[in-house]
Amino acid sequence: MINIIGLGYIGLPTALMFASHDVEVIGTDFNKELVYELQKGKVPFEEKGLKELFNNAKSSGITYTTDYQSTDIYIVAVPTPYDKRYKKIDSSYVVQAVESIMEVCTKGAILIIESTVSPGTIDRYIRPVIVEKGGVVGTDIHLVHAPERIIPGNMVYELEHNSRTIGCDDVVIGEKVKLCIPLSVKER
Ligand SMILES: NC(=O)c1ccc[n+]([C@@H]2O[C@H](COP(=O)([O-])OP(=O)(O)OC[C@H]3O[C@@H](n4cnc5c(N)ncnc54)[C@H](O)[C@@H]3O)[C@@H](O)[C@H]2O)c1
């Protein structure tokens, strides 16, 4: 099962793509109104092919919730707004999401950061959160950095066809994640 955290422009199509390929998906967002709308079957924004993908995912049993799930794969797609004052991105949403994941994840879980952050942000802000929460990176949790490259307009097509960069500590985990990303799901 994959728990996708953040059901916005990036997280929602990602969740729908996995679910449409028969992967068990639970989408989590802390925005109660958004989750309610999704549960009611309302697609929150327009994109070519999104409604169809939404309906396919629904038939495959995708669920939407405000709760973080206890599982072994997480994809974090929360915002990273640019902070003009400090001239850098605000990684606090990602940090908060990782803290919440650490409360529920199973030992050895894979945590994929899909939000737009630099490798330096992973090392300076994300790894320490895991350690502060009592986790050992590479044992209790495997940290993976795979920022999304799609942009609005043709997201559904791009999700399947864009190549991706996957950064990780352990090549075996990297290969596993490679099989996870939507393009590879399609190829299986
Ligand atoms: N939108 C794009 O075109 C685009 C393209 C490429 C990459 N990205 C990157 O993808 C990431 C996500 O962007 P987006 O446009 O999907 O953002 P968004 O604002 O559309 O959606 C983010 C969602 O995350 C939820 N959220 C925030 N913190 C949360 C938490 N701790 N737990 C649960 N839910 C939480 C919000 O309620 C929101 O629904 C960003 O890092 C962005 O830079 C975006």
Side-chain angles (χ1 to χ4, degrees), residues 78-102:
V78 299
T80 48
Y82 182 66
D83 186 331
K84 278 187 190 156
R85 196 154 62 115
Y86 295 107
K87 295 187 177 165
K88 60 179 190 176
I89 60 113
D90 172 5
S91 58
S92 62
Y93 294 91
V94 182
V95 167
Q96 190 188 341
V98 173
E99 283 173 348
S100 302
I101 287 168
M102 290 304 293

Side-chain angles (χ1 to χ4, degrees), residues 4-13 28-32 34 45 65-66 68 76-81 89 92-98 100 114-117 147-152 155:
I4 311 251
I5 313 297
L7 299 173
Y9 286 100
I10 296 299
L12 181 63
T28 296
D29 200 293
F30 66 9
N31 180 339
K32 286 184 189 153
L34 173 65
F45 56 91
T65 176
T66 53
Y68 283 65
V76 173
V78 299
T80 48
I89 60 113
S92 62
Y93 294 91
V94 182
V95 167
Q96 190 188 341
V98 173
S100 302
E114 182 144 339
S115 298
T116 308
V117 296
E148 185 50 74
R149 299 179 54 233
I150 60 173
I151 50 169
M155 282 180 154

Side-chain angles (χ1 to χ4, degrees), residues 34-176:
L34 173 65
V35 169
Y36 180 75
E37 295 294 325
L38 289 167
Q39 288 169 340
K40 292 282 163 214
K42 190 172 171 210
V43 186
F45 56 91
E46 284 186 18
E47 265 291 329
K48 194 162 71 182
L50 193 64
K51 182 71 185 165
E52 193 188 356
L53 201 61
F54 187 90
N55 291 337
N56 289 344
K58 193 176 172 189
S59 307
S60 299
I62 189 170
T63 53
Y64 306 104
T65 176
T66 53
D67 295 328
Y68 283 65
Q69 305 301 306
S70 179
T71 188
D72 51 1
I73 301 182
Y74 296 88
I75 297 180
V76 173
V78 299
T80 48
Y82 182 66
D83 186 331
K84 278 187 190 156
R85 196 154 62 115
Y86 295 107
K87 295 187 177 165
K88 60 179 190 176
I89 60 113
D90 172 5
S91 58
S92 62
Y93 294 91
V94 182
V95 167
Q96 190 188 341
V98 173
E99 283 173 348
S100 302
I101 287 168
M102 290 304 293
E103 302 288 337
V104 296
C105 67
T106 56
K107 192 174 170 67
I110 297 176
L111 166 54
I112 303 167
I113 307 294
E114 182 144 339
S115 298
T116 308
V117 296
S118 68
T121 296
I122 295 278
D123 288 339
R124 277 195 298 277
Y125 300 104
I126 311 302
R127 283 185 198 276
V129 172
I130 294 171
V131 175
E132 276 160 27
K133 286 282 173 184
V136 177
V137 181
T139 306
D140 296 316
I141 196 153
H142 298 283
L143 187 54
V144 176
H145 183 204
E148 185 50 74
R149 299 179 54 233
I150 60 173
I151 50 169
N154 210 6
M155 282 180 154
V156 175
Y157 175 88
E158 288 193 23
L159 256 183
E160 285 193 291
H161 294 91
N162 283 4
S163 55
R164 299 282 296 275
T165 301
I166 300 171
C168 53
D169 300 323
D170 180 341
V171 75
V172 175
I173 298 297
E175 288 295 334
K176 197 168 172 185

